[in-house]
Amino acid sequence: LKIRRPPRSTQSRSSAASDVYKRQIHYQQLLIRLRKLETIANDTCKELARDEHIRQLDTKIRFLNAECIHLFQDIKKRDEKIEQLQAKLRAVSYTHLRAHETPEHLVCRLLLEKKK
């Protein structure tokens, strides 16, 4: 839409036309400013929404990190228990067994060997 200046035929018409033209320019400048403000407001809203989304993701990440720490602690405790059980169940030599043999065990072992 192009705004044309009215012809300046008479002084009174020219002055009135000039006022209309000036008002049109003023309104156009206001519309341009309004559109710029709308763009800034839209961009600001998008940034706020993005920031809120980032805050929500950050909260979820913190929660998951805490869960991971608890899981790793549980795994570490379980591994320690497994190591303790494995230490109790380690194979020992025949000599070691004989060193801890009680008189009752000795009698039983000798009787079993005699049967063979």
Side-chain angles (χ1 to χ4, degrees), residues 5-116:
R5 280 186 171 222
R8 296 181 184 221
S9 56
T10 63
Q11 184 66 27
S12 63
R13 278 189 174 178
S14 176
S15 177
S18 177
D19 289 345
V20 170
Y21 178 75
K22 287 178 186 174
R23 276 194 299 263
Q24 287 176 342
I25 295 292
H26 180 71
Y27 290 136
Q28 283 180 343
Q29 289 172 347
L30 287 176
L31 283 174
I32 290 170
R33 288 182 190 161
L34 180 62
R35 287 186 186 124
K36 285 181 182 178
L37 288 174
E38 285 177 344
T39 303
I40 291 170
N42 286 336
D43 291 346
T44 303
C45 286
K46 288 177 186 175
E47 287 178 26
L48 290 173
R50 194 176 319 121
D51 290 347
E52 179 61 27
H53 182 68
I54 289 171
R55 275 194 290 277
Q56 289 173 354
L57 288 176
D58 191 43
T59 302
K60 288 178 184 178
I61 288 170
R62 276 196 229 118
F63 175 76
L64 290 174
N65 281 340
E67 286 294 313
C68 286
I69 289 170
H70 289 297
L71 288 174
F72 283 128
Q73 289 172 346
D74 291 344
I75 289 170
K76 188 175 178 182
K77 287 177 186 176
R78 188 199 64 200
D79 288 347
E80 289 172 355
K81 287 180 182 178
I82 289 172
E83 287 176 12
Q84 290 172 354
L85 290 172
Q86 286 175 341
K88 290 179 182 178
L89 299 174
R90 284 197 182 119
V92 292
S93 68
Y94 184 71
T95 308
H96 179 81
L97 287 174
R98 294 280 303 272
H100 295 283
E101 194 173 43
T102 62
E104 294 82 16
H105 291 128
L106 176 62
V107 170
C108 289
R109 182 174 58 82
L110 292 173
L111 287 172
L112 286 172
E113 287 177 4
K114 192 175 184 183
K115 281 187 178 180
K116 290 182 185 180

